[in-house]
Amino acid sequence: MDNSAVVVQYDVRQRNTAVENYREAADKAIDQLREELETLDQLDLQGGLRCEFMMAGDGNSEEFNSFLGRELFFCAHHAIHHNMIIKVANGSSSSSSSIDYVDSLMMGMQIDAITVSFAREEGGISGAKNLGVLVGFLCKYRDLMEELVEEFGLKLLSIDLQRLIPSVTAKYLDAINPRMQAVMMQIVITEKQLEEPPEETKEGHVYTHLGNDLFSVLQKQLSLAKRNHFTKDAASQMRLSAGYQVYNVQSLLLEWVSAARINSSDQTIYLPGSSLKEDKKEGEEVKKTEMHIAALINTAAFIEKHVPSLLLLADGERGRRRRSKGGGGGRGEKQDGDENAEITAVSERLKRQISAHNNRIVSAASMVLMRLVVETLRDLMGKLFTKPHISSGKIVGEIVATIYDYFSDFRRWIKERRHLMELMRSITRRIIAVYIEALTKNHRSVTWDDNSPALVRMASDRKDFRELMKKVKKRALVGDSHGSRPASSSSSSETAIMAEVLEIDLDIFAVLRRLLLAKSVPSIIIECGSYLQFFMEAGYDKAQAKDSFQRLLAIKRSVGRKTRLTVMQEHVDHA
């Protein structure tokens, strides 16, 4: 069918015709139209035509290119709209009909919404704003229709709008994400460029403004969505997007702190700088103090505390409105329940991912502080198991005193006691591992017995470490250094448990003693697992732990080279 010359004039109407005044004439015209429509094939429906209609009330018309199938579809869904006007005008409120005015309005709105959403894809702030307004409009429309359905018992036949809202919301998020990511990056860059010491609370806890800046930006974005009437799934998508922004910032922080370097000459922490600061070249390192690293640990705690409220409505928005209305039931409520369960699952998974990232940040920052302490003590630890150490306990005494001084600072700076105790455990483990390394490197091969000077010194050193653990436990269990806030009962219990674990780590001294005094290969094999495990938990890889164990065997004169090879190959390699 060639329609190229056809112009459909929607605004040209003839009044008082037979079709308008006589039902028989209208029936005959409809039958004739039906017969003609049934002869059309796919090719006919794709035939082009032109439409003419007024764009405003000034009487001027415009022509637009279209095709037959589109115009027939428009007439069909618009007829539903007119049929429902007739139905309402006749006073009929029955919902048994297959035609429902809720559905007819919804179909028209979906077509308009799709047209607008695709027409506004020019990008940038203007495009994002238009999409945001569209999402809010669709949410308002959906909520209104649901109220009408519940109030008048009408059927909601179409569910396409439920699918359209998440799709348009996703387009809105795609439009704003580049700008949001740039803001998130700037927050991290500001943290990298920070040269001033972190600020302190009245309790002495150190912090930067990264956490506050991060959540302030995200809350503003969520407030804007709320003002635009983002509800239910649209609000949930916004909150989940905010959660993913948090995760991305965490990833940047983790990458940054994991690249820290300790300068051995002056025990200074260096972190990668930023190329965006005029006086800093790309890749240049910047100095950071241990206070900055402690502030990062507190930032992780801040994120952990505030993320649940950030994601709260991602699994709660939907329920409030339905509970306030009461009643319900049927397909729409079941679909809401299914979507709620899916969003709740996504929200919980995201919370776990963010929590795991927080733990990684705390571990990476703790590793930096641990390396700083070890580097500070390197000269002292280099004297372990030399004559000055064997003959006097002053060296270990100085080591323990230095660790406690660091602990006093960390205790004041770090807010969460569990983070403090995890840090102290990593420090003491590494120091004890280095202590044992010094034994294997500095002590000559001898036949060990209970009276060996090194064993006597080790027993004394173990007491010094134990006294350190007791002092750490005692101070960790009391309130802050300013005495203004005692630790909570749950925090105290957790701290006490971790303090006990610190003392358990001292069992390695007993393992070491038994290894040195062992007279047979089986006796050595019994202890090798505990030895290797301690070193690997202290941050050594398996190869380094095995190397340390092999050097330990080398200072046992009673164990020959052949026996050492047998132990290493047949037992340690498979431990």
Side-chain angles (χ1 to χ4, degrees):
M1 182 183 295
D2 184 11
N3 302 314
S4 58
V6 174
V7 178
V8 179
Q9 296 175 303
Y10 283 110
D11 297 310
V12 176
R13 298 179 178 89
Q14 295 180 355
R15 297 301 184 190
N16 294 316
T17 62
V19 170
E20 185 176 358
N21 294 319
Y22 301 101
R23 179 177 296 178
E24 294 80 4
D27 287 341
K28 184 177 179 180
I30 291 173
D31 289 338
Q32 183 179 349
L33 282 172
R34 181 183 291 115
E35 290 174 3
E36 292 181 7
L37 290 173
E38 288 175 349
T39 65
L40 299 177
D41 58 19
Q42 187 66 31
L43 208 57
D44 294 328
L45 293 174
Q46 294 175 357
L49 51 78
R50 289 176 295 159
C51 299
E52 180 182 294
F53 52 86
M54 288 187 294
M55 300 294 292
D58 56 7
N60 295 319
S61 298
E62 298 288 343
E63 283 192 8
F64 296 88
N65 291 324
S66 185
F67 55 93
L68 180 60
R70 182 185 186 280
E71 298 311 311
L72 288 175
F73 177 75
F74 166 74
C75 291
H77 89 73
H78 197 64
I80 297 173
H81 166 67
H82 279 273
N83 285 335
M84 288 318 305
I85 291 177
I86 295 170
K87 178 180 177 180
V88 173
N90 287 335
S92 173
S93 60
S94 170
S95 60
S96 60
S97 170
S98 61
I99 301 175
D100 194 308
Y101 78 85
V102 173
D103 191 56
S104 65
L105 285 173
M106 193 175 282
M107 288 188 66
M109 188 62 65
Q110 290 165 42
I111 293 168
D112 292 341
I114 292 171
T115 302
V116 174
S117 66
F118 281 99
R120 297 298 188 183
E121 288 186 355
E122 67 268 25
I125 297 176
S126 177
K129 183 177 180 180
N130 290 327
L131 284 169
V133 171
L134 175 60
V135 173
F137 182 71
L138 292 173
C139 287
K140 283 183 179 180
Y141 175 75
R142 185 260 314 276
D143 295 347
L144 174 62
M145 291 302 101
E146 288 182 351
E147 289 178 2
L148 289 173
V149 168
E150 292 183 1
E151 186 170 352
F152 297 105
L154 300 172
K155 291 189 299 181
L156 190 62
L157 301 181
S158 175
I159 62 171
D160 287 344
L161 185 61
Q162 300 288 0
R163 299 168 183 163
L164 181 62
I165 291 176
S167 174
V168 180
T169 306
K171 287 180 177 293
Y172 171 69
L173 290 172
D174 288 341
I176 67 171
N177 270 341
R179 186 166 181 269
M180 287 296 294
Q181 289 172 3
V183 173
M184 297 296 106
M185 177 63 76
Q186 187 56 54
I187 289 174
V188 175
I189 288 173
T190 301
E191 181 77 10
K192 289 183 177 183
Q193 294 176 346
L194 183 65
E195 295 178 353
E196 298 78 13
E199 297 185 42
E200 297 186 36
T201 66
K202 62 180 181 180
E203 293 87 3
H205 306 147
V206 293
Y207 68 95
T208 65
H209 291 283
L210 186 149
N212 280 322
D213 291 346
L214 170 62
F215 281 87
S216 175
V217 169
L218 295 176
Q219 289 293 354
K220 286 179 181 177
Q221 196 66 44
L222 294 177
S223 297
L224 177 62
K226 186 176 181 179
R227 288 199 301 272
N228 280 343
H229 201 80
F230 282 41
T231 59
K232 299 186 178 180
D233 42 5
S236 296
Q237 282 177 266
M238 289 298 300
R239 291 186 173 274
L240 289 173
S241 176
Y244 287 119
Q245 294 289 358
V246 172
Y247 185 84
N248 291 337
V249 168
Q250 288 179 303
S251 298
L252 293 172
L253 288 177
L254 181 60
E255 180 183 8
W256 181 52
V257 74
S258 297
R261 179 179 67 85
I262 310 295
N263 190 321
S264 58
S265 62
D266 59 1
Q267 291 83 50
T268 302
I269 302 170
Y270 286 92
L271 284 167
S274 169
S275 61
L276 299 186
K277 194 171 182 180
E278 292 181 359
D279 59 343
K280 299 289 183 184
K281 296 180 180 179
E282 185 173 0
E284 184 177 348
E285 294 178 318
V286 293
K287 288 183 179 181
K288 294 290 181 180
T289 66
E290 52 266 44
M291 291 180 72
H292 286 111
I293 307 302
L296 279 176
I297 294 177
N298 289 339
T299 295
F302 183 91
I303 292 174
E304 188 80 15
K305 178 181 178 180
H306 288 85
V307 158
S309 62
L310 185 74
L311 294 176
L312 178 63
L313 291 188
D315 52 16
E317 179 80 25
R318 193 172 268 95
R320 276 210 315 269
R321 190 176 185 90
R322 187 163 294 279
R323 285 194 299 271
S324 66
K325 296 297 294 182
R331 183 178 65 179
E333 185 170 351
K334 181 179 184 301
Q335 183 184 0
D336 269 359
D338 292 342
E339 291 176 357
N340 189 28
E342 180 180 353
I343 289 178
T344 299
V346 174
S347 175
E348 290 302 318
R349 182 166 62 249
L350 181 55
K351 287 178 188 176
R352 290 193 297 271
Q353 291 172 338
I354 291 174
S355 181
H357 243 22
N358 279 329
N359 290 336
R360 295 185 189 104
I361 292 171
V362 171
S363 296
S366 297
M367 181 69 71
V368 174
L369 295 176
M370 178 270 289
R371 287 162 50 200
L372 176 68
V373 175
V374 172
E375 198 62 49
T376 303
L377 292 170
R378 185 165 299 280
D379 289 343
L380 272 176
M381 291 191 295
K383 300 176 183 178
L384 291 171
F385 294 100
T386 60
K387 286 184 177 180
H389 173 225
I390 298 296
S391 60
S392 170
K394 291 183 179 180
I395 292 177
V396 169
E398 291 182 41
I399 291 173
V400 167
T402 302
I403 295 173
Y404 189 73
D405 286 343
Y406 271 110
F407 165 74
S408 298
D409 289 335
F410 296 151
R411 177 183 173 278
R412 186 174 74 254
W413 296 337
I414 297 174
K415 182 177 182 179
E416 294 292 330
R417 288 292 180 259
R418 63 187 179 92
H419 293 158
L420 171 66
M421 299 307 290
E422 287 169 3
L423 170 61
M424 289 307 299
R425 191 181 187 198
S426 68
I427 290 172
T428 55
R429 273 183 168 179
R430 181 57 70 94
I431 293 296
I432 293 172
V434 174
Y435 175 95
I436 297 172
E437 286 278 274
L439 169 66
T440 63
K441 292 177 180 178
N442 295 340
H443 205 285
R444 68 184 190 280
S445 177
V446 298
T447 300
W448 295 85
D449 58 43
D450 288 330
N451 296 319
S452 297
L455 283 180
V456 175
R457 174 50 54 204
M458 284 170 54
S460 176
D461 293 342
R462 183 176 182 274
K463 291 180 181 179
D464 289 340
F465 279 108
R466 184 172 293 280
E467 286 301 314
L468 170 66
M469 305 307 183
K470 289 180 178 179
K471 290 171 65 177
V472 166
K473 178 180 178 180
K474 182 178 179 180
R475 287 206 62 190
L477 285 173
V478 299
D480 292 311
S481 57
H482 293 70
S484 58
R485 182 175 61 85
S488 65
S489 58
S490 60
S491 175
S492 296
S493 176
E494 187 177 26
T495 303
I497 291 172
M498 297 189 72
E500 294 298 331
V501 173
L502 279 176
E503 293 196 42
I504 291 173
D505 285 340
L506 294 179
D507 290 346
I508 189 63
F509 280 94
V511 172
L512 183 61
R513 178 182 177 85
R514 289 194 294 269
L515 278 169
L516 292 174
L517 295 176
K519 303 296 185 183
S520 63
V521 170
S523 300
I524 294 173
I525 299 306
I526 290 174
E527 306 295 341
C528 76
S530 299
Y531 186 95
L532 296 175
Q533 180 181 354
F534 177 85
F535 270 83
M536 294 177 71
E537 290 178 350
Y540 289 68
D541 60 33
K542 188 173 182 179
Q544 292 172 321
K546 286 167 56 179
D547 182 62
S548 175
F549 189 76
Q550 187 169 10
R551 288 201 307 270
L552 180 71
L553 295 182
I555 63 173
K556 286 174 60 69
R557 184 174 293 174
S558 58
V559 178
R561 184 174 179 276
K562 184 177 180 180
T563 303
R564 290 201 303 271
L565 288 174
T566 300
V567 170
M568 295 301 297
Q569 293 174 359
E570 297 184 8
H571 300 282
V572 177
D573 286 347
H574 299 92

